[in-house]
Amino acid sequence: MLNNPFLNAQEQLRQAASLLEPQYGDKKVFRAVIQTLMTPQNLVQVELSIKMDNGKTQKFKAFRSQHNDARGPFKGGIRYHYNVSVEEVKALSMWMTWKCATTGIPYGGAKGGIIVDPSKLSKGEVERLSRAYARAITPYIGVWKDVPAPDVNTTGQIMAWMLDEYEKIIGRHEPGVFTGKPLEIGGSLGREEATGKGGVRVLEQLAKKLQLKPAQTTVAVQGLGNVGYWFAKLAAELGFNVVAVSDSRGGIVSNDMKKGLNIDAVMAHKKKMGSIAGFTGTRSVSNAELLELPVDVLVPAALENVITAENAGRVHAKAIVEMANGPVTPEADEILWKKHILSVPDVLSNAGGVTVSYFEWVQNLYGYAWTKKEVFAKLEPLMVDAFNHMWDMHEKKNVHLRLAAYVNAVKRVVDAMILRGR
Ligand code: GLU
């Protein structure tokens, strides 16, 4: 079983390349470009030494993988998690290349990470670690080079510390080098909910194609971090029936599948009780059980590799909207496709985040401050066009949605590589 995310990413590229190859006259050039895209352009690996609150020094392994920059500066978040690995960061950076190409924003792909459980660190320790990471990657980033952002367990505050450290080194302001910043220092209105906002636009398009009416559509969301929370909340606001949610410790399902959950009330319960378990009108389920619930739409919004060859056969949903990066493995893709379960891939479903990051960068470069309305008015058509572009390819080639989105995205990157003569 392939559970190495980087091997999965390479397999996905291989599948897209074999569908694309007939379009290219010069097979030798095409194959050479695909070979280049199989691995990141640059990989930074460092060990960060931090003075802990107890006076001792602790070392943390950290990475920045820059997959490809043929379409524009490298772009992608920084993840703090104890499961971060070089293979994971490499995979995530490749997925960013396809994601930026999917909505057509002018970036390549990158991803960074630190092997750390930030919940075990004090605020001061997180700040020192974040500043040390920014110092280590300063030579490799820049507004026209590589533009990092938040990812799992990293926040606007962390971006603020990193930007501050970077600007101290270069000796001038350059807010566009990090996105996902707090508003006070050049962040964009709407960035916080952007990934969820883009995701519900995708959900709406999908529901139309499958002729599902929001009020009769049950939805289960795995993960209640920034992405899962906003997705669940905005989907409920659009009238979808969000009947199950979970966080890293477990989930809850509504006792009445016709009655969706009030997401803010669930969050308030979690704040008060320390856990979502025990929320009125629900029963507890494990994260594994949540994925197998008989809902219409399943939304993995936490981490990669949750729907695999092992459990794909037990997925009962009609469709999946991938809000996490890499939640469905290539083997699971095949199983779902045979079962006629459509999975809208991460590179489209969660692209709202990086797309509003792009708007933040544009505002920083021009010194503009757009209203939230302006930001969302620009986001929505990009998401809808990218969805339709994927759907057309899915129908034309009769392939699953990931392959359809990949064929479009990989083609854009390959063409940029060929134009540059790389
Ligand atoms: N970490 C987010 C993602 O995986 C956002 C990246 C960004 O804004 O650059 O898409």
Side-chain angles (χ1 to χ4, degrees), residues 363-394:
Q363 290 172 80
N364 293 154
L365 291 176
Y366 280 84
Y368 288 156
W370 294 340
T371 62
K372 198 183 269 199
K373 212 170 145 201
E374 284 174 288
V375 168
F376 290 148
K378 291 181 188 358
L379 171 67
E380 295 184 6
L382 280 184
M383 296 301 297
V384 174
D385 287 353
F387 182 93
N388 289 332
H389 194 38
M390 169 193 72
W391 196 268
D392 292 346
M393 184 57 75
H394 154 70

Side-chain angles (χ1 to χ4, degrees), residues 2-19 30-31 33-41 43 65 67 86-98 305 326 328-331 333 346-347 400 402-403 406 410:
L2 289 181
N3 271 336
N4 174 330
F6 186 58
L7 295 181
N8 290 344
Q10 289 184 321
E11 174 57 24
Q12 290 160 343
L13 172 57
R14 220 170 274 128
Q15 290 179 8
S18 69
L19 269 181
F30 177 79
R31 285 183 200 150
V33 170
I34 296 296
Q35 203 44 43
T36 306
L37 292 170
M38 282 289 170
T39 49
Q41 260 173 250
L43 180 65
S65 169
H67 174 255
V86 68
E87 296 297 285
E88 184 194 51
V89 170
K90 278 158 62 182
L92 289 161
S93 70
M94 193 194 289
W95 290 330
M96 284 309 301
T97 301
W98 315 138
N305 284 342
V328 180
T329 66
E331 288 164 313
D333 268 334
D346 47 9
V347 293
H400 58 68
R402 182 178 334 277
L403 206 43
Y406 265 58
V410 174

Side-chain angles (χ1 to χ4, degrees), residues 75-77 96 99 111 147 149-151 179 191 325 350 353-354 357:
K75 184 85 192 81
M96 284 309 301
K99 193 184 299 186
K111 189 73 85 173
V147 181
D151 195 77
T179 59
R191 175 63 185 86
N325 286 313
N350 72 25
V354 72
S357 272

Side-chain angles (χ1 to χ4, degrees), residues 50-222:
I50 307 302
K51 183 74 100 18
M52 305 304 279
D53 292 349
N54 64 11
K56 292 205 178 110
T57 299
Q58 201 171 315
K59 290 192 153 89
F60 296 89
K61 278 203 167 69
F63 313 97
R64 182 79 181 162
S65 169
Q66 298 175 323
H67 174 255
N68 183 272
D69 70 344
R71 298 185 61 261
F74 298 108
K75 184 85 192 81
I78 300 161
R79 170 175 296 206
Y80 288 2
H81 199 275
Y82 51 84
N83 278 339
V84 162
S85 66
V86 68
E87 296 297 285
E88 184 194 51
V89 170
K90 278 158 62 182
L92 289 161
S93 70
M94 193 194 289
W95 290 330
M96 284 309 301
T97 301
W98 315 138
K99 193 184 299 186
C100 295
T102 294
T103 52
I105 56 176
Y107 291 131
K111 189 73 85 173
I114 307 181
I115 306 177
V116 59
D117 179 352
S119 70
K120 302 239 156 64
L121 264 51
S122 70
K123 189 175 175 197
E125 289 166 342
V126 173
E127 175 173 354
R128 292 196 290 283
L129 183 65
S130 304
R131 287 185 184 275
Y133 183 78
R135 280 196 298 278
I137 62 165
T138 285
Y140 310 102
I141 63 174
V143 274
W144 292 108
K145 207 170 178 180
D146 182 354
V147 181
D151 195 77
V152 174
N153 291 332
T154 47
T155 57
Q157 171 65 78
I158 289 175
M159 295 306 112
W161 289 323
M162 289 192 182
L163 175 68
D164 188 62
E165 199 64 27
Y166 177 84
E167 290 184 338
K168 268 199 260 175
I169 296 170
I170 65 160
R172 62 173 187 278
H173 281 290
E174 206 154 275
V177 72
F178 287 93
T179 59
K181 298 178 295 291
L183 276 181
E184 293 79 353
I185 56 166
S188 176
L189 285 164
R191 175 63 185 86
E192 201 198 317
E193 61 265 54
T195 313
K197 188 91 180 172
V200 296
R201 281 289 94 81
V202 164
L203 173 66
E204 274 182 333
Q205 298 305 310
L206 178 73
K208 269 193 218 154
K209 296 285 184 197
L210 301 181
Q211 291 171 345
L212 294 169
K213 293 216 165 50
Q216 280 122 44
T217 304
T218 51
V219 181
V221 181
Q222 183 191 54

